[in-house]
Amino acid sequence: MNEQQIALGAKYLREGRLVAFPTETVYGLGANAFDATAVNRIFLAKGRPADNPLIVHIADYATLPQVVGRVSPEAERLMRAFWPGPLSIVLPRNRQIPDIVTAGLDTVAVRWPNHPVATALIRQAGVPVAAPSANRSGRPSPTLAQHVAEDLGEQVDLILDAGQAAIGLESTVVDLSADKPILLRPGAVTVEDLEQILGAVEIASTRPTPGQPVRSPGMKYTHYAPRAPLYLYLGEPDAVVQAQGARRRELEGEGKRVGILTYDEFRHAFPDSGTLSLGRYNRPSEAAQSLYQLLRRFDEQNVDVILAHGYPSAAGLGLALQNRLLKAAGYRLLWV
Ligand code: TXA
Ligand code: MG
């Protein structure tokens, strides 16, 4: 990564082209947020439904009033505490932001990412940058530049490669546009972190319920999913390992290729190449960093079924991990 590439990316953004760039969470697919035609190209490139709004990225406070309306004292406290960082805040929108960015909502999600390449790119472009994760819609978010190239190929004009994303899961999304704060998507800024600043935070149900209004449009789509069906096993670790082993033998008996997702401590129970490890058990940052990359690897291995050991704790970053695993599983859960 060099200065010329960032400068070229900034020029491309001003010209209405698409630039994929690294952030601390996952890679984003950026366009000038004021340019409706460019933003439309994001939706086309990703195959993204038009009713799923984008996050607008900034890299200074001077740009904020061009994106949002009034900033409440709570919102300001969150920004001071967690920006730049993995937190997107939903606020009333500024009308200058085109409808296509917000999917017609009167709110907009805004974030200041904590990555030197992202912030240099946004500042040099001189405009706020609308950017979803740079995967094809429905695929796991990209944590490496190579994932972006695999998913989007020629549809992206430039990919800025800065190696592996540090966090590996998308930003926390918190809605401050209503009376009380609502967590729409858990991430590396944890509920515990938010509650230190805001007091109690309501957690939106992650599973769409028929007949219930959807708070975050993104929640109603299958997300983060590998191609093979993934079954999530929950329970005491030994029982989970046993159940995964028993089910694998059955499936292999039917001639199926089985992928096992586990942790370093239990790897010895599945000694073959179809087994991938999320790192050490109960180390959320290790699992977060590797999860999406491993889901993609199962795709490459062409497995028919994935049997995954669930994440043991909902504390801290664990909540985000459980949320992404549940989505990858399409809510196929087995308690053992
Ligand atoms: O870490 C991240 O947030 C990455 C990097 C590139 O910044 N971006 C990302 O964007 O994950 P995307 O588009 O994949 O996810 C944005 C989520 C979606 O679930 C969307 O529905 C929600 O934020 N969202 C965006 N604007 C919203 C709004 N005005 N109200 C409610 N939810 C919104
Ligand atoms: Mg996404």
Side-chain angles (χ1 to χ4, degrees):
M1 173 63 45
N2 59 40
E3 286 303 315
Q4 280 104 316
Q5 283 180 290
I6 297 175
L8 181 65
K11 175 171 168 281
Y12 277 7
L13 288 174
R14 286 192 301 272
E15 290 172 356
R17 301 217 236 177
L18 303 188
V19 178
F21 62 96
T23 81
E24 78 280 38
T25 57
V26 299
Y27 277 77
L29 179 63
N32 175 356
F34 292 139
D35 183 340
T37 310
V39 173
N40 187 47
R41 290 185 57 217
I42 291 180
F43 283 87
L44 295 176
K46 282 186 57 101
R48 183 175 176 107
D51 63 353
N52 195 0
L54 308 182
I55 296 170
V56 176
H57 296 70
I58 60 171
D60 56 49
Y61 282 111
T63 312
L64 189 60
Q66 301 174 25
V67 179
V68 302
R70 200 181 87 86
V71 176
S72 63
E74 294 78 47
E76 195 172 326
R77 271 186 275 141
L78 279 189
M79 291 168 188
R80 299 280 171 203
F82 301 115
W83 280 3
L87 176 68
S88 300
I89 307 176
V90 175
L91 290 169
R93 99 198 227 211
N94 182 317
R95 287 275 143 203
Q96 264 186 279
I97 298 293
D99 276 340
I100 187 166
V101 173
T102 67
L105 297 175
D106 46 19
T107 58
V108 62
V110 62
R111 161 162 126 84
W112 179 342
N114 186 17
H115 193 292
V117 174
T119 49
L121 175 74
I122 297 164
R123 283 187 193 139
Q124 286 182 39
V127 290
V129 174
S133 49
N135 50 287
R136 264 201 75 78
S137 213
R139 299 270 295 139
S141 290
T143 56
L144 291 169
Q146 177 199 324
H147 300 156
V148 181
E150 281 164 15
D151 275 18
L152 301 176
E154 298 300 303
Q155 303 190 77
V156 47
D157 297 304
L158 179 68
I159 301 174
L160 299 176
D161 184 349
Q164 187 174 10
I167 293 172
L169 299 179
E170 307 84 349
S171 64
T172 305
V173 180
V174 64
D175 185 350
L176 290 189
S177 69
D179 305 343
K180 47 183 179 140
I182 302 172
L183 179 74
L184 298 181
R185 181 173 73 183
V189 169
T190 64
V191 177
E192 295 88 335
D193 293 333
L194 293 173
E195 289 191 332
Q196 294 233 328
I197 308 287
L198 298 173
V201 172
E202 183 187 324
I203 301 175
S205 149
T206 56
R207 182 172 196 171
T209 325
Q212 287 270 87
V214 177
R215 285 205 186 270
S216 178
M219 294 199 313
K220 67 174 181 280
Y221 298 106
T222 324
H223 252 132
Y224 324 119
R227 294 197 182 93
L230 182 149
Y231 293 85
L232 196 56
Y233 286 76
L234 298 170
E236 287 304 313
D238 291 346
V240 167
V241 170
Q242 256 198 5
Q244 283 174 297
R247 184 67 184 137
R248 179 170 74 163
R249 283 188 294 277
E250 278 173 21
L251 289 163
E252 286 179 346
E254 296 166 18
K256 299 231 164 70
R257 285 178 68 112
V258 179
I260 297 279
L261 187 60
T262 187
Y263 302 90
D264 292 352
E265 288 85 340
F266 313 121
R267 230 203 139 107
H268 61 88
F270 311 102
D272 60 66
S273 64
T275 300
L276 300 176
S277 172
L278 287 163
R280 286 171 292 174
Y281 191 62
N282 225 340
R283 300 288 175 117
S285 60
E286 294 183 14
Q289 231 187 24
S290 59
L291 175 64
Y292 289 149
Q293 192 175 350
L294 299 185
L295 295 181
R296 284 175 180 265
R297 205 167 308 150
F298 281 125
D299 284 347
E300 288 157 21
Q301 293 179 350
N302 261 313
V303 295
D304 300 307
V305 180
I306 302 164
L307 308 179
H309 192 152
Y311 195 74
S313 160
L317 187 56
L319 185 66
L321 272 164
Q322 292 189 337
N323 168 267
R324 305 309 194 275
L325 279 165
L326 268 170
K327 291 193 168 207
Y331 298 90
R332 283 175 291 254
L333 272 184
L334 292 106
W335 280 96
V336 296

